[in-house]
mmCIF file of all heavy atoms in Angstrom:
data_model
loop_
_atom_site.group_PDB
_atom_site.id
_atom_site.type_symbol
_atom_site.label_atom_id
_atom_site.label_comp_id
_atom_site.label_asym_id
_atom_site.label_seq_id
_atom_site.Cartn_x
_atom_site.Cartn_y
_atom_site.Cartn_z
ATOM 1 N N GLY A 57 38.699 28.048 -33.305
ATOM 2 C CA GLY A 57 38.415 26.619 -33.278
ATOM 3 C C GLY A 57 37.066 26.340 -32.652
ATOM 4 O O GLY A 57 36.826 26.679 -31.490
ATOM 5 N N GLY A 59 35.623 23.375 -31.962
ATOM 6 C CA GLY A 59 35.466 22.025 -31.406
ATOM 7 C C GLY A 59 34.816 22.163 -30.033
ATOM 8 O O GLY A 59 34.298 23.235 -29.681
ATOM 9 N N PRO A 60 34.854 21.114 -29.216
ATOM 10 C CA PRO A 60 34.196 21.184 -27.901
ATOM 11 C C PRO A 60 34.748 22.287 -27.002
ATOM 12 O O PRO A 60 33.974 22.958 -26.313
ATOM 13 C CB PRO A 60 34.433 19.793 -27.293
ATOM 14 C CG PRO A 60 35.396 19.106 -28.175
ATOM 15 C CD PRO A 60 35.376 19.771 -29.504
ATOM 16 N N ALA A 61 36.069 22.508 -27.014
ATOM 17 C CA ALA A 61 36.648 23.537 -26.134
ATOM 18 C C ALA A 61 36.190 24.923 -26.566
ATOM 19 O O ALA A 61 35.708 25.720 -25.754
ATOM 20 C CB ALA A 61 38.168 23.449 -26.159
ATOM 21 N N ASP A 80 36.083 28.977 -37.177
ATOM 22 C CA ASP A 80 36.576 27.643 -37.517
ATOM 23 C C ASP A 80 37.006 27.635 -38.975
ATOM 24 O O ASP A 80 36.467 28.367 -39.798
ATOM 25 C CB ASP A 80 35.529 26.551 -37.256
ATOM 26 C CG ASP A 80 36.183 25.184 -37.077
ATOM 27 O OD1 ASP A 80 36.458 24.510 -38.095
ATOM 28 O OD2 ASP A 80 36.461 24.805 -35.908
ATOM 29 N N ARG A 81 37.947 26.760 -39.278
ATOM 30 C CA ARG A 81 38.433 26.672 -40.665
ATOM 31 C C ARG A 81 37.405 25.993 -41.562
ATOM 32 O O ARG A 81 37.420 26.171 -42.774
ATOM 33 C CB ARG A 81 39.751 25.899 -40.694
ATOM 34 C CG ARG A 81 39.593 24.514 -40.140
ATOM 35 C CD ARG A 81 40.870 23.728 -40.057
ATOM 36 N NE ARG A 81 40.545 22.396 -39.559
ATOM 37 C CZ ARG A 81 41.386 21.416 -39.426
ATOM 38 N NH1 ARG A 81 42.647 21.593 -39.742
ATOM 39 N NH2 ARG A 81 41.013 20.243 -38.982
ATOM 40 N N ASP A 82 36.509 25.160 -40.968
ATOM 41 C CA ASP A 82 35.576 24.382 -41.782
ATOM 42 C C ASP A 82 34.157 24.919 -41.688
ATOM 43 O O ASP A 82 33.574 24.974 -40.607
ATOM 44 C CB ASP A 82 35.569 22.916 -41.326
ATOM 45 C CG ASP A 82 36.931 22.256 -41.507
ATOM 46 O OD1 ASP A 82 37.593 22.536 -42.523
ATOM 47 O OD2 ASP A 82 37.328 21.469 -40.630
ATOM 48 N N CYS A 90 38.848 11.864 -33.398
ATOM 49 C CA CYS A 90 39.039 11.615 -31.965
ATOM 50 C C CYS A 90 37.831 12.090 -31.155
ATOM 51 O O CYS A 90 37.214 13.080 -31.490
ATOM 52 C CB CYS A 90 40.234 12.398 -31.443
ATOM 53 S SG CYS A 90 41.664 12.280 -32.490
ATOM 54 N N GLY A 91 37.561 11.387 -30.041
ATOM 55 C CA GLY A 91 36.547 11.878 -29.111
ATOM 56 C C GLY A 91 35.203 11.197 -29.264
ATOM 57 O O GLY A 91 34.184 11.746 -28.862
ATOM 58 N N GLY A 92 35.184 9.970 -29.808
ATOM 59 C CA GLY A 92 33.922 9.249 -30.032
ATOM 60 C C GLY A 92 33.306 8.680 -28.776
ATOM 61 O O GLY A 92 32.145 8.280 -28.779
ATOM 62 N N PHE A 93 34.089 8.631 -27.668
ATOM 63 C CA PHE A 93 33.534 8.188 -26.387
ATOM 64 C C PHE A 93 33.479 9.389 -25.456
ATOM 65 O O PHE A 93 34.470 10.101 -25.282
ATOM 66 C CB PHE A 93 34.410 7.090 -25.753
ATOM 67 C CG PHE A 93 34.042 6.817 -24.319
ATOM 68 C CD1 PHE A 93 32.881 6.115 -24.001
ATOM 69 C CD2 PHE A 93 34.836 7.287 -23.277
ATOM 70 C CE1 PHE A 93 32.524 5.883 -22.673
ATOM 71 C CE2 PHE A 93 34.492 7.055 -21.945
ATOM 72 C CZ PHE A 93 33.336 6.353 -21.643
ATOM 73 N N ARG A 142 31.639 12.667 -33.551
ATOM 74 C CA ARG A 142 32.012 14.076 -33.434
ATOM 75 C C ARG A 142 31.150 14.925 -34.352
ATOM 76 O O ARG A 142 30.893 16.090 -34.065
ATOM 77 C CB ARG A 142 33.501 14.248 -33.739
ATOM 78 C CG ARG A 142 34.413 13.811 -32.612
ATOM 79 C CD ARG A 142 34.248 14.679 -31.370
ATOM 80 N NE ARG A 142 34.483 16.086 -31.632
ATOM 81 C CZ ARG A 142 35.685 16.667 -31.646
ATOM 82 N NH1 ARG A 142 36.745 15.945 -31.358
ATOM 83 N NH2 ARG A 142 35.827 17.948 -31.895
ATOM 84 N N ASP A 163 37.283 30.872 -41.221
ATOM 85 C CA ASP A 163 38.612 31.287 -41.671
ATOM 86 C C ASP A 163 39.619 30.280 -41.125
ATOM 87 O O ASP A 163 39.381 29.686 -40.068
ATOM 88 C CB ASP A 163 38.951 32.705 -41.144
ATOM 89 C CG ASP A 163 40.049 33.372 -41.969
ATOM 90 O OD1 ASP A 163 40.595 32.714 -42.889
ATOM 91 O OD2 ASP A 163 40.361 34.546 -41.692
ATOM 92 N N ARG A 164 40.695 30.084 -41.829
ATOM 93 C CA ARG A 164 41.758 29.203 -41.324
ATOM 94 C C ARG A 164 42.858 30.089 -40.763
ATOM 95 O O ARG A 164 43.440 30.891 -41.506
ATOM 96 C CB ARG A 164 42.309 28.331 -42.450
ATOM 97 C CG ARG A 164 43.421 27.370 -41.998
ATOM 98 C CD ARG A 164 44.007 26.647 -43.186
ATOM 99 N NE ARG A 164 43.044 25.699 -43.740
ATOM 100 C CZ ARG A 164 42.990 24.410 -43.397
ATOM 101 N NH1 ARG A 164 43.852 23.925 -42.545
ATOM 102 N NH2 ARG A 164 42.096 23.627 -43.952
ATOM 103 N N ILE A 165 43.101 29.978 -39.465
ATOM 104 C CA ILE A 165 44.112 30.820 -38.833
ATOM 105 C C ILE A 165 45.493 30.245 -39.122
ATOM 106 O O ILE A 165 45.743 29.060 -38.906
ATOM 107 C CB ILE A 165 43.867 30.918 -37.302
ATOM 108 C CG1 ILE A 165 42.449 31.441 -37.024
ATOM 109 C CG2 ILE A 165 44.923 31.791 -36.634
ATOM 110 C CD1 ILE A 165 42.091 32.783 -37.656
ATOM 111 N N ALA A 188 41.742 27.386 -29.524
ATOM 112 C CA ALA A 188 41.078 26.082 -29.336
ATOM 113 C C ALA A 188 41.167 25.265 -30.624
ATOM 114 O O ALA A 188 40.207 24.632 -31.047
ATOM 115 C CB ALA A 188 39.617 26.301 -28.934
ATOM 116 N N ALA A 189 42.374 25.309 -31.248
ATOM 117 C CA ALA A 189 42.548 24.641 -32.548
ATOM 118 C C ALA A 189 42.865 23.155 -32.411
ATOM 119 O O ALA A 189 43.163 22.494 -33.403
ATOM 120 C CB ALA A 189 43.639 25.350 -33.345
ATOM 121 N N GLY A 190 42.779 22.611 -31.197
ATOM 122 C CA GLY A 190 42.887 21.162 -31.007
ATOM 123 C C GLY A 190 44.256 20.623 -31.348
ATOM 124 O O GLY A 190 45.279 21.141 -30.905
ATOM 125 N N LYS A 191 44.232 19.564 -32.144
ATOM 126 C CA LYS A 191 45.470 18.864 -32.487
ATOM 127 C C LYS A 191 46.427 19.715 -33.305
ATOM 128 O O LYS A 191 47.607 19.419 -33.419
ATOM 129 C CB LYS A 191 45.153 17.621 -33.343
ATOM 130 C CG LYS A 191 44.681 16.452 -32.558
ATOM 131 C CD LYS A 191 43.246 16.113 -32.919
ATOM 132 C CE LYS A 191 42.520 15.622 -31.698
ATOM 133 N NZ LYS A 191 41.380 16.445 -31.291
ATOM 134 N N CYS A 251 38.967 3.330 -32.936
ATOM 135 C CA CYS A 251 39.973 4.393 -32.948
ATOM 136 C C CYS A 251 41.246 3.857 -32.290
ATOM 137 O O CYS A 251 41.181 3.271 -31.209
ATOM 138 C CB CYS A 251 39.407 5.582 -32.160
ATOM 139 S SG CYS A 251 40.332 7.067 -32.425
ATOM 140 N N GLY A 316 41.472 23.251 -24.372
ATOM 141 C CA GLY A 316 41.430 21.893 -24.927
ATOM 142 C C GLY A 316 42.817 21.316 -25.126
ATOM 143 O O GLY A 316 43.686 21.412 -24.254
ATOM 144 N N ASP A 317 43.039 20.721 -26.302
ATOM 145 C CA ASP A 317 44.341 20.106 -26.589
ATOM 146 C C ASP A 317 45.459 21.144 -26.683
ATOM 147 O O ASP A 317 46.634 20.783 -26.723
ATOM 148 C CB ASP A 317 44.274 19.322 -27.909
ATOM 149 C CG ASP A 317 43.640 17.950 -27.720
ATOM 150 O OD1 ASP A 317 43.277 17.603 -26.576
ATOM 151 O OD2 ASP A 317 43.507 17.213 -28.720
ATOM 152 N N SER A 324 44.806 9.319 -24.806
ATOM 153 C CA SER A 324 43.398 9.176 -25.179
ATOM 154 C C SER A 324 42.732 7.937 -24.609
ATOM 155 O O SER A 324 41.506 7.896 -24.522
ATOM 156 C CB SER A 324 43.262 9.195 -26.699
ATOM 157 O OG SER A 324 44.185 8.316 -27.286
ATOM 158 N N GLY A 327 39.919 8.373 -22.219
ATOM 159 C CA GLY A 327 38.590 8.844 -22.641
ATOM 160 C C GLY A 327 38.176 10.098 -21.887
ATOM 161 O O GLY A 327 37.017 10.249 -21.501
ATOM 162 N N GLU A 328 39.120 11.015 -21.661
ATOM 163 C CA GLU A 328 38.798 12.214 -20.879
ATOM 164 C C GLU A 328 39.190 13.508 -21.599
ATOM 165 O O GLU A 328 39.002 14.602 -21.070
ATOM 166 C CB GLU A 328 39.472 12.104 -19.504
ATOM 167 C CG GLU A 328 39.061 13.119 -18.466
ATOM 168 C CD GLU A 328 37.597 13.058 -17.996
ATOM 169 O OE1 GLU A 328 36.809 12.306 -18.578
ATOM 170 O OE2 GLU A 328 37.266 13.786 -17.053
ATOM 171 N N GLY A 329 39.738 13.391 -22.818
ATOM 172 C CA GLY A 329 40.155 14.591 -23.555
ATOM 173 C C GLY A 329 38.992 15.543 -23.800
ATOM 174 O O GLY A 329 39.144 16.767 -23.724
ATOM 175 N N MET A 330 37.823 14.984 -24.057
ATOM 176 C CA MET A 330 36.660 15.837 -24.337
ATOM 177 C C MET A 330 36.242 16.597 -23.083
ATOM 178 O O MET A 330 35.847 17.757 -23.144
ATOM 179 C CB MET A 330 35.497 14.984 -24.844
ATOM 180 C CG MET A 330 35.828 14.236 -26.119
ATOM 181 S SD MET A 330 36.064 15.345 -27.513
ATOM 182 C CE MET A 330 34.377 15.598 -27.976
ATOM 183 N N ALA A 333 38.594 19.372 -22.548
ATOM 184 C CA ALA A 333 38.270 20.451 -23.489
ATOM 185 C C ALA A 333 37.096 21.290 -22.957
ATOM 186 O O ALA A 333 37.154 22.528 -22.927
ATOM 187 C CB ALA A 333 37.934 19.860 -24.858
HETATM 188 C C1 FAD B 15 43.403 8.787 -31.244
HETATM 189 C C2 FAD B 15 42.629 9.642 -30.282
HETATM 190 C C3 FAD B 15 41.404 9.207 -29.781
HETATM 191 C C4 FAD B 15 40.699 9.980 -28.854
HETATM 192 N N1 FAD B 15 39.522 9.509 -28.349
HETATM 193 C C5 FAD B 15 38.899 10.193 -27.341
HETATM 194 C C6 FAD B 15 37.695 9.696 -26.764
HETATM 195 O O1 FAD B 15 37.158 8.682 -27.190
HETATM 196 N N2 FAD B 15 37.133 10.421 -25.754
HETATM 197 C C7 FAD B 15 37.686 11.573 -25.273
HETATM 198 O O2 FAD B 15 37.152 12.164 -24.322
HETATM 199 N N3 FAD B 15 38.802 12.095 -25.843
HETATM 200 C C8 FAD B 15 39.401 11.441 -26.877
HETATM 201 N N4 FAD B 15 40.511 11.965 -27.480
HETATM 202 C C9 FAD B 15 40.920 13.336 -27.134
HETATM 203 C C10 FAD B 15 39.940 14.375 -27.690
HETATM 204 O O3 FAD B 15 39.578 14.067 -29.015
HETATM 205 C C11 FAD B 15 40.551 15.771 -27.652
HETATM 206 O O4 FAD B 15 41.126 15.991 -26.399
HETATM 207 C C12 FAD B 15 39.477 16.821 -27.955
HETATM 208 O O5 FAD B 15 38.971 16.645 -29.269
HETATM 209 C C13 FAD B 15 40.052 18.216 -27.823
HETATM 210 O O6 FAD B 15 39.059 19.148 -28.162
HETATM 211 P P1 FAD B 15 39.460 20.565 -28.760
HETATM 212 O O7 FAD B 15 38.201 21.361 -28.837
HETATM 213 O O8 FAD B 15 40.614 21.088 -28.012
HETATM 214 O O9 FAD B 15 40.016 20.265 -30.229
HETATM 215 P P2 FAD B 15 39.364 19.581 -31.515
HETATM 216 O O10 FAD B 15 38.334 18.622 -31.146
HETATM 217 O O11 FAD B 15 40.527 19.067 -32.303
HETATM 218 O O12 FAD B 15 38.695 20.799 -32.296
HETATM 219 C C14 FAD B 15 39.498 21.801 -32.881
HETATM 220 C C15 FAD B 15 38.662 22.669 -33.805
HETATM 221 O O13 FAD B 15 39.507 23.703 -34.314
HETATM 222 C C16 FAD B 15 39.397 23.809 -35.722
HETATM 223 N N5 FAD B 15 40.690 24.270 -36.222
HETATM 224 C C17 FAD B 15 41.870 23.618 -36.228
HETATM 225 N N6 FAD B 15 42.856 24.367 -36.740
HETATM 226 C C18 FAD B 15 42.277 25.543 -37.072
HETATM 227 C C19 FAD B 15 42.777 26.752 -37.659
HETATM 228 N N7 FAD B 15 44.062 26.874 -37.997
HETATM 229 N N8 FAD B 15 41.917 27.787 -37.871
HETATM 230 C C20 FAD B 15 40.595 27.667 -37.542
HETATM 231 N N9 FAD B 15 40.075 26.545 -36.990
HETATM 232 C C21 FAD B 15 40.901 25.504 -36.746
HETATM 233 C C22 FAD B 15 39.029 22.409 -36.177
HETATM 234 O O14 FAD B 15 38.349 22.429 -37.430
HETATM 235 C C23 FAD B 15 38.130 21.917 -35.024
HETATM 236 O O15 FAD B 15 36.786 22.265 -35.237
HETATM 237 C C24 FAD B 15 41.223 11.233 -28.443
HETATM 238 C C25 FAD B 15 42.430 11.688 -28.966
HETATM 239 C C26 FAD B 15 43.144 10.913 -29.876
HETATM 240 C C27 FAD B 15 44.448 11.408 -30.393
#
Side-chain angles (χ1 to χ4, degrees):
D80 202 276
R81 59 184 182 176
D82 298 321
C90 314
F93 168 74
R142 284 295 303 276
D163 201 356
R164 180 186 290 266
I165 304 304
K191 280 115 215 118
C251 194
D317 279 359
S324 49
E328 191 65 352
M330 300 293 278

